[in-house]
Each structure stands twice: as C-alpha cells, then as structure tokens.
Amino acid sequence: MDKTLIPAKGSAVAAENIFPAAKLPRLLSLDALRGFDMFWIMSGEHVVHAAAKATNWPVLLWFSGQLHHTEWNGITFYDMIFPLFLFIAGVSMPYSFHHKMEKAGVTDPMDLPGTDKRKIYVAMIRRTLILLFLGWVVNGLFRFDGVENTRFASVLGRIGLAWFFAGLIYMNFNLRAQLYWFSGILVAYWAAMLFIPVPGYGAGILTMQGSLESYVDQLLLPGRLHDPGHDPEGILSTIPAIGSALLGVFTGQFLKLNSEKWPMYKKGIALFVAGLLLIALGMLWDLNFPVNKRLWSSSFVLLVGGWSMVFLSVFYLIIDVAGYRKWAFPFVLIGVNSILIYLAAEGMIDFKQTSNFVFGGLINLACATWQDTLAALGVVCTQLALLYFLYKNKIFLKI
C-alpha cells in the first residue's frame, strides 16, 4: 500500500476542486475513465440488469444485453471493458516514465543511462510478476485443487504481460519504430491465424476448438483452460494485446506533447477523430478477420482501440479541457484504487452481505419489484464508501 497522497496538478490539468491540497502527475480524465471502466464489472452491471428487469424499458433492456460478452464473433460494450483498461495502462506509461527521465536529465526513454534503465526493467518485471500472481489468486490458487484444476491464464496476467512488452518497445524504440512494431504485431497475428494449419482442422479455421490460438493453449498452457480446449486469455492471443497497450502508449505520448500547435482542445478533437478512423479500419478488417474478443483478433484491437480513444477524448475534453470535474469524483475514487477494488469485487470481500447488513431493512420495506435494484445500488454505495475511506486516509494500492 502506498500511503502518499496522489498530487493534484498534472502536466496538463489542475484538479484543485477535487484534490484540494495535492498534485496529480497524471491526467485526471484518465483516472476518471479508469474508474468508469472498472465500475461496470465491480457492481454497475448488476444495477442495470436489475433495473431493466424491474422496468422493462427498451433502453435499459438493450444496455443490459450490452453488459454480457459475445459468444464468439461480434462485440458488445462489455467486451470493451478489458481492452479499455489495458489501453489506459498504456496511456499512463509515458507519464509515469516521465518523472524517471526528468531525474536522469533526459527527454527520451532511449537516452536513459544503463543503470536507470535496469532499475526500470526490474520494477517492470516485479509489477508483471505481481499481476500474474494476483491473477492466479483471483482464479482460486489458494483452493489448492492441484495444477491440473488451476487456471493460470487471467485478466490481470494479460494486463501485466501486455503492459510489460509494450513498455520494452517504448523504452527501446523511437515512435516510428513503435508504429512498425504495432503494425507488425497485428499483421503477423492475422497471418498466423489464417495461414498456419492446425492439426486436424487446417488453416484459417477461426472456431473455438479449431483456431491456432486454441491449439497453442491446448499444447502449451498448463492447468485448466477457461473453456474446453480454449482460453480467452491464452498464450497466443496475448501477443495482439500488446498492440492494445501500444495504442495507449501512442495516445499518452501525444497528450503529453508540449507544443503551441497542439493546445489541449485540439488534442482532444484529434484523439476523437483518430478513434473514429480506427473504428472504421477495425470494421473493414472484420470482413476478413472477424472482430473477436476471445481471439483478441487484429480487427478487435483496432475497433476497441478506436472506441478507447473516443471515450478518452470525451472524458479529456469535459474534465481536463472544459474543467467539469466534480461529477467525475466517484469514478476517480474507483480509478485511483482500481486493482484493489477489482480484487475485492472478485470475491475477496462480500460486499453484498455488508450492504444487506446496512441497507437490508430499508430495502425490505420497498416494493418487491425494486428490491433487487435497490440491493444492487446498496452494493455500489458500500464499495464507494470503502474507496472514499481509503482515499481520505491516503491509502492507494500501487503495483
């Protein structure tokens, strides 16, 4: 736990309204977007599902449907939550490395002295190993069911690995070379998935059982897979996930750019337009290589990367450019402790039982139709109360 207060002035934004006596070394919009992203999986989805059931309103029924993963090809809002988090981790990288470069007196990570680079590499490896371990914990490592019943692939593990390799590319290559890496990863993955034959299936079979990604997992991934013969966070599909993190790295470098030609509002608009272009490219590639979260297809990287840029541009323009910050405070509470609340919501804390203890009597007095919705809102309030307590006491889980 890091018990230092997050500063309130960043390289591009002042956030005195929310963080009165602090300095914020990263964009406030980024913390808010991270919190918005995490909100849906920590409890927000249950509020929408319950409200849709209670009201039968078409809009809520549609959104409730969006808060489920697609079976295979296609995409929903829920499918974008994981890659958006990975994109945000990439955006943060140039900001977090900036302070290390300032101390070394350089402006480019490639110019860092060898000693400083080694320290960063050690920190990156440590962070990745911690995320891999926490992913195993979430998967039930301490149930001690044996290696064959333990799932080693995980969401946190993929975030750690993709972030790590994106960081290596950022540390050792200039922007042009980084773009080559990004393009090469997506094209190479597309070529491998379509042209390398799988024993018993052949080449280009993009099914759950017959894809090259599934074959590699069956061959190399120890323990239990998420599905019979397939894991959505498997080995091969982690490679294009590096591309998702790199899109964030490109975005972070652009937003950090200090140039009179690029005032903040222009950056926000440019980011929005770039997002739309990536969405169009992803939809175009979908004709040949379907958008598929489980395979983390190259078209999926472009499409979701585009939506990630659109989301960030909207938050950036509203919060950092226009200065409307107070509404985002609940999301900021989630965003600055996102890993902690993810671990807690995944089973380490029974928020439902705590909420029922506090609000259960009042909820039982309500109309039966709305009790599930109120119970879900009670969980949200309980989680936010914990996060606010941690924030007020300057407790932040840093990995």
Side-chain angles (χ1 to χ4, degrees):
M1 292 284 188
D2 183 350
K3 300 192 76 173
T4 58
L5 181 61
I6 297 182
K9 281 191 182 179
S11 55
V13 353
E16 295 86 352
N17 290 341
I18 293 182
F19 301 98
K23 291 184 178 178
L24 189 67
R26 56 182 182 262
L27 298 173
L28 184 62
S29 57
L30 201 60
D31 280 330
L33 181 59
R34 187 187 294 109
F36 171 82
D37 191 43
M38 186 59 63
F39 168 72
W40 300 108
I41 56 176
M42 79 178 202
S43 55
E45 61 175 302
H46 302 299
V47 175
V48 174
H49 293 323
K53 184 179 179 181
T55 63
N56 278 318
W57 292 351
V59 172
L60 285 177
L61 289 170
W62 170 82
F63 193 33
S64 177
Q66 286 293 308
L67 291 173
H68 295 284
H69 288 304
T70 51
E71 288 292 327
W72 192 241
N73 292 335
I75 191 167
T76 61
F77 175 77
Y78 209 61
D79 292 327
M80 294 192 282
I81 291 174
F82 181 9
L84 175 57
F85 194 91
L86 185 50
F87 169 85
I88 292 169
V91 178
S92 300
M93 193 180 297
Y95 287 93
S96 61
F97 284 17
H98 174 77
H99 303 288
K100 298 176 178 66
M101 291 186 288
E102 269 191 333
K103 288 181 181 178
V106 300
T107 58
D108 191 314
M110 293 176 62
D111 297 329
L112 281 167
T115 304
D116 291 316
K117 272 196 172 183
R118 281 193 292 273
K119 289 180 180 177
I120 294 175
Y121 290 151
V122 170
M124 290 170 64
I125 292 171
R126 181 184 68 85
R127 183 178 191 265
T128 301
L129 291 176
I130 290 173
L131 287 171
L132 283 167
F133 174 74
L134 290 177
W136 298 337
V137 171
V138 169
N139 286 349
L141 178 67
F142 293 136
R143 295 193 189 104
F144 301 113
D145 291 335
V147 173
E148 68 281 0
N149 295 315
T150 301
R151 182 175 175 239
F152 290 95
S154 68
V155 168
L156 291 177
R158 171 161 291 183
I159 290 172
L161 290 169
W163 177 88
F164 175 78
F165 287 107
L168 290 182
I169 293 171
Y170 172 64
M171 290 280 292
N172 293 284
F173 297 92
N174 60 29
L175 181 58
R176 177 177 293 183
Q178 292 169 29
L179 290 167
Y180 287 151
W181 270 102
F182 172 75
S183 303
I185 286 170
L186 296 193
V187 171
Y189 185 65
W190 162 79
M193 292 293 287
L194 263 65
F195 300 114
I196 294 180
V198 174
Y201 289 94
I205 307 300
L206 302 179
T207 63
M208 189 175 292
Q209 297 296 327
S211 70
L212 178 66
E213 192 273 342
S214 296
Y215 176 70
V216 170
D217 289 345
Q218 295 167 28
L219 201 63
L220 302 177
L221 193 60
R224 176 180 64 83
L225 302 184
H226 184 276
D227 302 292
H230 171 80
D231 199 295
E233 281 80 50
I235 296 171
L236 194 62
S237 57
T238 297
I239 296 173
I242 299 169
S244 297
L246 281 174
L247 279 175
V249 172
F250 302 150
T251 301
Q253 292 177 83
F254 175 61
L255 292 179
K256 198 169 75 70
L257 182 66
N258 186 14
S259 170
E260 292 182 358
K261 294 181 180 179
W262 286 103
M264 292 174 62
Y265 80 92
K266 281 190 177 180
K267 289 180 183 178
I269 294 171
L271 188 60
F272 186 87
V273 173
L276 294 180
L277 289 174
L278 281 179
I279 291 170
L281 287 173
M283 293 173 67
L284 185 63
W285 207 342
D286 173 64
L287 300 174
N288 174 258
F289 192 13
V291 170
N292 187 304
K293 177 192 175 291
R294 284 176 168 268
L295 296 177
W296 213 279
S297 60
S298 303
S299 56
F300 175 79
V301 172
L302 294 181
L303 182 68
V304 177
W307 276 112
S308 298
M309 288 184 179
V310 168
F311 280 125
L312 179 56
S313 69
V314 172
F315 275 65
Y316 180 75
L317 288 168
I318 293 173
I319 296 173
D320 297 328
V321 178
Y324 295 103
R325 304 181 182 102
K326 290 184 179 180
W327 68 273
F329 184 54
F331 292 136
V332 173
L333 289 178
I334 302 168
V336 296
N337 256 321
S338 55
I339 298 295
L340 186 148
I341 195 62
Y342 174 79
L343 293 171
E346 284 295 305
M348 291 190 173
I349 297 177
D350 191 342
F351 288 107
K352 188 174 181 180
Q353 183 175 352
T354 304
S355 172
N356 186 59
F357 178 80
V358 176
F359 303 111
L362 290 173
I363 291 172
N364 288 334
L365 296 176
C367 171
T369 305
W370 287 98
Q371 285 183 4
D372 287 345
T373 305
L374 293 173
L377 287 171
V379 171
V380 173
C381 292
T382 304
Q383 292 170 329
L384 288 177
L386 170 63
L387 291 167
Y388 184 72
F389 171 81
L390 295 173
Y391 167 73
K392 291 297 289 184
N393 287 276
K394 307 173 187 178
I395 301 172
F396 304 96
L397 178 61
K398 304 280 188 179
I399 297 177

